[in-house]
Amino acid sequence: LAYTDNVLTDSNLSNPTSSTLCSVSFTFGDHGMTSTGNHGGGSEDETTAGLYASYSPACNFPSSPLDGAETATSSDFTTISQVDIVPTISFLLSLPIPYASIGSVATNLIPNLDSVQMTGILLLNCAQVSSYLRTYGASSRKLRLKVSHLDDILTD
């Protein structure tokens, strides 16, 4: 853990502190590990990975309620799926969400969103996933029916 602490400290030091430029850095793993060093299995410890987000002051993002002096519990954190990382980073970079991505934008990781912006982001995200499912589901009658129901919801 000391190594990871040093890496995060170094990455925070390189994160711009400009008062006009909002920047974010994400540090995350692709899988977890058990206390005995096992990884690649199906246990919760092995399928759960950490995500650390650091925002520059210009983002005006609420800081963590944790000050480092206490031990965090799972209730102190929000859980997101790994498939949500790519759409979130795509949005932050002003890039389209990759076609085959089925994740959703993790709006809790995006600073200063009002409800109108959040709704717009999630509608674009739904339209992208719907397009993918419609194409993928062309070979499956069951999936085709469910996608048409999603289309009905999106057009209301």
Side-chain angles (χ1 to χ4, degrees), residues 2 28 42 48 62 71 93 106 118-119 122 130-132 134 136 142:
F28 52 91
T48 304
T71 302
L93 293 173
M118 188 180 309
T119 301
L122 294 176
S130 174
S131 172
Y132 173 75
R134 193 177 342 355
Y136 182 75
K142 250 185 191 179

Side-chain angles (χ1 to χ4, degrees), residues 8-32:
L8 293 176
T9 299
D10 289 346
S11 70
N12 280 340
L13 292 175
S14 66
N15 198 3
T17 57
S18 165
S19 60
T20 59
L21 176 67
C22 175
S23 66
V24 61
S25 66
F26 292 121
T27 305
F28 52 91
D30 63 342
H31 60 77

Side-chain angles (χ1 to χ4, degrees), residues 10 27 36 56 91 97 112 115:
D10 289 346
T27 305
T36 59
S56 67
F91 173 78
I97 297 171
N112 304 318
S115 60

Side-chain angles (χ1 to χ4, degrees), residues 33-54:
M33 184 182 306
T34 66
S35 60
T36 59
N38 292 326
H39 56 87
S43 72
E44 184 175 353
D45 283 345
E46 293 165 293
T47 59
T48 304
L51 167 66
Y52 175 78
S54 175

Side-chain angles (χ1 to χ4, degrees), residues 114-154:
D114 63 34
S115 60
V116 172
Q117 292 169 318
M118 188 180 309
T119 301
I121 290 166
L122 294 176
L123 281 172
L124 286 171
N125 196 179
C126 285
Q128 176 268 325
V129 172
S130 174
S131 172
Y132 173 75
L133 290 175
R134 193 177 342 355
T135 301
Y136 182 75
S139 62
S140 166
R141 185 176 179 281
K142 250 185 191 179
L143 186 56
R144 205 173 16 247
L145 292 173
K146 291 180 181 186
V147 171
S148 70
H149 179 67
L150 179 60
D151 287 339
D152 293 342
I153 293 169
L154 288 172

